Amino acid sequence: MTTYQSRSEVPAHEKWNLADIYPNLEKWEEDFTRIEQSIAKLKEFDGAITNGKTLFAFLKLKEEVSYKLKHLYAYSMLKLDEDTRVTSSQALLDRAKALSVKVNSATSFFMPFLLSLDEITLKEFIAEVEGLKYFEEDLFDSFRYKPHVLKKEQEELLSQLGEALSAPSVTFKMINNADIKFGEVTDKNGNKIPLTRGLYAKLIEDENRQKRCEAYKAYYKPYVEAKNTIASTLSAAIKNNVTLARIRNYPSALEKALFADNVPKEVYLNLIEATKQNIAPLHEYIRIRKEKLNLEELRQYDLSAPLVSGVKQEIPYEKAYETMLKALAPLGDDYLEILKEFKNSRYIDVRETPGKRSGAYNLGVYGVHPYILLNYRDDLDSLFTLVHECGHGVHSKLSSEYQPQITASYSIFVAEVASTVNEVLLIQYLLNEEKDLKVRKYLLNHFIDLFKGTFFTQVMFAEFEMKTHEMAERGIPLNVDVFNKTYETLFRDYYGPDIVFDEEVKYGWARIPHFYRPFYVYKYATGFASAIHLATKILEGDKKTLNSYIKFLKSGSSDYPLELLKKTGVDLTSPVPIENTLKKFGGLVKEFGSLL
């Protein structure tokens, strides 16, 4: 594996080029000063928007400030992520964050003002100034919130409670990131060492069952010890969601969470119902796992153990890029040219170096191009990560090129579609090319486990959120026992009868940060299902689907997420895409079982 001791050792063509945003820090400072000067101008509009001309002037200035601020923030964040130890980069990002808060404060008056207007007045304003047509759809979309916006004094009161209402989430973050101390595990020399999250991720996949068990017990230990405190924070977070939904006149906390994306609750319910009706293939996979591991009792810490061992492929970055281009060829020549540009024009930061932010992400910078952070390790997982992030990257690039700034950013609801389409195309390409039986089994297992984590686990989490919020809405007290019983029952429903439960299983709810961002995780599953449908059609040579998919990648947020997906042939208001996805999973499990 290629390793570097410092960033300076990495070849220039494997480092992103931040000069495309700002050629130097002086230019960054110039934009910082301009935004500071604009804040006072933005504040002047408070109480002064009386006609179309002043409305247009405000919106135009706000968008100009937003454009510059995004550049400032992106440059600062990317610079810091190159080496998180550099204090000057930390300070740069802190300044960008503080400036963002000031801008938000200066423009906070606008939404209450807008919603105080009636539609006739707003239409008159728009008729006065031609430039307001650009903002028209966005302005009227805000009117959807009118039934859920309170009187000005009440809104001001609620805004003052913002910090208090976010306390459960902040408290859990502090517990989870600062206070949690995992137990100890035994290293290869027999010494006891503290468990970390990174080490746990490796050990839970170890072939040695004793190591997996030891890591599992050590990982869950602090969550079980803090069960009452964490139950209190989660209960408070759920009650806050329920209370805010009532205050704002939503039928339920679920419908409040779905409102921004204009998603009917039937989509959420369909996802859960269709999954549970077609859960048998997951139960079969768990049975195969138990049989293949030759265990009398399968436990939760056995669910990530490798079923196909001894497959270690060395995949250098250059080879990975060539493989990606071949695998994604069904998406067309224009798509491949964009991918070549990513590499040749230094959009990607490839190598792992000391101090660099871990993991991987894509950041689209409107008016510039996407930036992709990797920590490439010359292995199969790194190849999948490259393909995944490049899916996000092409989505960002095309949406930015084909959409104006106001609709260029795509919703989280559709974000995982582009990345997962790429992963499905890659796995199918590798399976088609691979003749070695052991590697084929390994690839199938990789895909099945991706399915398990991105789809089934997220649907289970989504049902847990729905059930606990419904209890709170009915006035049922939420505590450790309620959370344990709900989670344990769902885990049994989803993963079937072949798992023997350790005491820790029922505490799974205590470690999930997503539960403090209500009704969010279902989007992973709907995105995954949409991607499976699209990739399958594209591989079948369906030109209509391919063309509509490329158009989708250019669409940003020009329509609501469900409508954008419908144009590609994916209708999530029906259970069909979910059912087809589960059929695909069933086929994978059947094929995998036949190879063992």
Side-chain angles (χ1 to χ4, degrees):
M1 189 175 91
T2 310
T3 56
Y4 295 96
Q5 295 309 306
S6 72
R7 187 170 177 81
S8 60
E9 293 177 17
V10 181
H13 68 273
E14 290 189 347
K15 293 189 281 194
W16 55 31
N17 181 17
L18 298 188
D20 290 348
I21 310 176
Y22 291 109
N24 50 53
L25 269 178
E26 286 74 25
K27 294 292 182 187
W28 188 95
E29 292 289 356
E30 284 175 17
D31 265 1
F32 189 94
T33 303
R34 286 193 192 100
I35 294 170
E36 276 194 318
Q37 292 167 347
S38 296
I39 288 172
K41 293 177 185 173
L42 286 167
K43 284 180 179 175
E44 288 171 9
F45 285 96
D46 188 359
I49 300 175
T50 55
N51 52 38
K53 191 175 178 183
T54 48
L55 176 61
F56 178 65
F58 170 75
L59 292 172
K60 191 162 177 284
L61 177 60
K62 183 170 172 275
E63 187 174 71
E64 287 167 4
V65 169
S66 172
Y67 181 83
K68 288 190 179 77
L69 186 60
K70 283 173 183 171
H71 285 203
L72 271 188
Y73 197 95
Y75 183 91
S76 311
M77 177 182 139
L78 296 168
K79 190 70 183 165
L80 179 60
D81 287 351
E82 292 177 356
D83 189 341
T84 57
R85 303 168 301 180
V86 177
T87 53
S88 59
S89 299
Q90 294 167 8
L92 210 63
L93 184 59
D94 286 343
R95 288 175 64 202
K97 284 179 178 177
L99 191 63
S100 177
V101 169
K102 288 179 183 176
V103 170
N104 288 337
S105 176
T107 57
S108 63
F109 74 89
F110 182 68
M111 187 57 77
F113 159 75
L114 178 64
L115 295 179
S116 72
L117 298 176
D118 56 57
E119 290 193 31
I120 294 170
T121 304
L122 183 57
K123 282 176 181 174
E124 287 172 355
F125 283 0
I126 291 167
E128 283 177 41
V129 182
E130 191 176 335
L132 279 172
K133 282 279 179 192
Y134 171 77
F135 298 101
E136 182 174 15
E137 199 169 316
D138 205 47
L139 290 169
F140 277 106
D141 183 57
S142 300
F143 269 54
R144 288 198 307 124
Y145 289 86
K146 213 163 187 178
H148 309 295
V149 173
L150 311 174
K151 292 175 182 175
K152 188 179 178 185
E153 296 78 15
Q154 293 170 311
E155 285 293 342
E156 285 173 1
L157 195 61
L158 264 187
S159 70
Q160 288 172 30
L161 288 171
E163 196 173 336
L165 291 170
S166 67
S169 174
V170 172
T171 303
F172 177 76
K173 277 180 188 168
M174 293 304 292
I175 294 168
N176 204 33
N177 297 323
D179 294 345
I180 283 279
K181 295 288 182 286
F182 299 110
E184 291 185 322
V185 291
T186 311
D187 69 9
K188 60 185 177 183
N189 300 317
N191 300 316
K192 289 288 184 183
I193 57 170
L195 182 69
T196 63
R197 291 184 201 281
L199 183 56
Y200 176 73
K202 289 179 183 176
L203 291 176
I204 203 66
E205 295 179 358
D206 201 286
E207 291 185 20
N208 184 321
R209 193 176 193 225
Q210 184 53 44
K211 282 189 176 296
R212 295 199 304 270
C213 177
E214 185 184 34
Y216 176 79
K217 299 287 183 185
Y219 181 74
Y220 271 87
K221 185 172 181 279
Y223 291 109
V224 176
E225 288 173 347
K227 61 189 178 185
N228 290 304
T229 306
I230 298 175
S232 175
T233 61
L234 183 56
S235 174
I238 292 169
K239 287 173 187 172
N240 283 352
N241 298 335
V242 168
T243 302
L244 281 173
R246 281 182 184 146
I247 289 172
R248 292 202 175 280
N249 303 310
Y250 289 95
S252 67
L254 172 60
E255 284 155 290
K256 178 181 180 295
L258 300 178
F259 188 80
D261 285 325
N262 205 22
V263 172
K265 72 174 182 181
E266 285 69 32
V267 169
Y268 200 95
L269 300 176
N270 275 342
L271 172 67
I272 293 169
E273 188 59 33
T275 302
K276 294 189 87 166
Q277 286 183 1
N278 296 274
I279 203 73
L282 180 58
H283 293 179
E284 173 62 10
Y285 173 60
I286 299 300
R287 188 197 63 74
I288 290 171
R289 178 168 273 282
K290 179 182 176 183
E291 183 182 300
K292 177 63 180 167
L293 291 172
N294 196 25
L295 295 172
E296 285 188 22
E297 293 182 344
L298 185 81
R299 294 178 180 265
Q300 189 180 9
Y301 51 78
D302 299 316
L303 293 181
S304 299
L307 297 185
V308 185
S309 58
V311 178
K312 285 287 179 188
Q313 292 180 300
E314 178 111 352
I315 308 174
Y317 181 65
E318 295 296 327
K319 183 184 176 185
Y321 223 92
E322 288 170 20
T323 302
M324 175 171 69
L325 293 174
K326 290 173 184 172
L328 302 185
L331 295 175
D333 292 340
D334 290 346
Y335 194 101
L336 298 186
E337 286 304 312
I338 293 171
L339 292 178
K340 290 173 188 173
E341 182 187 343
F342 280 17
K343 186 166 179 280
N344 297 334
S345 298
R346 296 176 54 198
Y347 295 2
I348 307 175
D349 207 76
V350 180
R351 298 295 172 184
E352 187 173 22
T353 50
K356 183 177 174 180
R357 174 171 166 168
S358 61
Y361 65 71
N362 161 76
L363 180 70
V365 184
Y366 188 80
V368 186
H369 57 70
Y371 283 88
I372 292 173
L373 179 134
L374 301 175
N375 282 276
Y376 194 83
R377 293 178 181 174
D378 295 359
D379 57 16
L380 187 68
D381 281 343
S382 291
L383 168 60
F384 271 92
T385 301
L386 169 69
V387 168
H388 180 102
E389 296 304 335
C390 282
H392 287 310
V394 175
H395 196 180
S396 295
K397 183 172 173 60
L398 289 175
S399 285
S400 289
E401 285 181 359
Y402 286 87
Q403 294 296 320
Q405 185 180 343
I406 200 167
T407 54
S409 298
Y410 45 82
S411 158
I412 296 290
F413 191 95
V414 298
E416 293 305 319
V417 175
S419 52
T420 309
V421 163
N422 281 13
E423 287 197 70
V424 177
L425 294 179
L426 173 63
I427 197 85
Q428 290 298 153
Y429 171 79
L430 294 174
L431 284 168
N432 291 341
E433 294 292 309
E434 190 54 64
K435 302 295 184 279
D436 185 302
L437 183 61
K438 184 180 257 193
V439 178
R440 281 185 62 78
K441 286 192 286 189
Y442 179 85
L443 289 167
L444 273 170
N445 196 195
H446 179 94
F447 196 19
I448 288 168
D449 282 340
L450 175 71
F451 230 117
K452 180 165 67 73
T454 313
F455 188 84
F456 289 104
T457 300
Q458 306 309 322
V459 177
M460 183 181 78
F461 287 168
E463 187 169 4
F464 177 84
E465 285 189 283
M466 185 178 75
K467 283 183 177 297
T468 51
H469 278 78
E470 285 175 348
M471 287 180 209
E473 283 164 346
R474 295 199 306 271
I476 297 171
L478 298 176
N479 52 42
V480 172
D481 291 340
V482 171
F483 290 139
N484 281 356
K485 185 179 178 184
T486 307
Y487 193 88
E488 189 171 22
T489 302
L490 288 172
F491 201 95
R492 177 71 73 201
D493 289 348
Y494 281 80
Y495 287 92
D498 280 298
I499 298 181
V500 175
F501 277 30
D502 289 90
E503 178 68 11
E504 289 85 356
V505 172
K506 64 189 178 189
Y507 291 99
W509 57 269
R511 61 182 182 83
I512 310 298
H514 281 101
F515 289 159
Y516 296 84
R517 188 175 179 181
F519 303 107
Y520 171 83
V521 293
Y522 86 101
K523 297 176 186 181
Y524 290 119
T526 51
F528 191 82
S530 303
I532 292 287
H533 173 91
L534 290 165
T536 303
K537 290 280 189 186
I538 290 165
L539 285 169
E540 288 170 356
D542 187 326
K543 293 293 183 192
K544 185 181 176 186
T545 298
L546 174 59
N547 292 336
S548 66
Y549 175 63
I550 298 300
K551 196 172 178 183
F552 162 82
L553 296 179
K554 297 174 180 177
S555 298
S557 57
S558 57
D559 206 340
Y560 294 117
L562 287 182
E563 297 308 312
L564 291 174
L565 286 170
K566 276 182 186 175
K567 292 169 190 173
T568 69
V570 178
D571 183 2
L572 288 168
T573 60
S574 107
V576 174
I578 308 301
E579 290 167 354
N580 288 343
T581 298
L582 294 163
K583 279 179 195 167
K584 174 80 173 174
F585 181 76
L588 291 169
V589 171
K590 191 173 180 181
E591 185 180 354
F592 183 63
S594 70
L595 293 177
L596 293 175

